[in-house]
Amino acid sequence: MEARVGAGFLKALERLDGDVGDALEPRLRDMIRLRVSHLNGCHHSIRLHSESLAKSGARPDLISALARPARQIRPGLVTDGESAALRLAEVLTDAPRALEQEAREQAGAWFNGTQVGAIVEVVALTNAWNRVMRGMD
């Protein structure tokens, strides 16, 4: 059976999507969205965010590296701050709760409270989109 999500719900997600993560650089927002989409196995979103990063000038090796855990990304491909943001995104998406404090503290070394909150926003909304898209496949 094909799932049909209400148009109002999709419009609400779209409106929210335009309002989250403004405290972050667009490239980092897209990197987080792509990493989270890989964790969730959402092929539609993986393609969408890979294309967005490519259009913004991201190198192909960076785009492909985001399929791996942040701690396994080749040194120099991402900044230490980007790595911390990606690690927090991973922990918020798919890791035991015990790791959240450590990941928040690591991200807090590179980002202010508003920016860490923006990372949380981007992760939450990307997770919502991934689940909607996978649920409708």
Side-chain angles (χ1 to χ4, degrees), residues 18-78:
D19 293 336
V20 301
D22 288 345
L24 302 174
E25 293 292 324
R27 170 185 141 113
L28 180 56
R29 275 195 315 262
D30 280 340
M31 289 169 62
I32 292 168
R33 287 174 172 150
L34 179 56
R35 181 69 194 118
V36 169
S37 296
H38 275 295
L39 288 168
N40 289 325
C42 182
H43 302 293
H44 170 80
S45 295
I46 291 168
R47 186 179 67 251
L48 177 79
H49 300 306
S50 293
E51 289 172 359
S52 179
L53 274 168
K55 285 180 186 174
S56 72
R59 296 175 14 194
D61 55 344
L62 169 64
I63 294 168
S64 64
L66 292 169
R68 294 187 298 276
R71 291 182 173 169
Q72 293 179 7
I73 295 176
R74 186 178 78 235
L77 196 55
V78 297

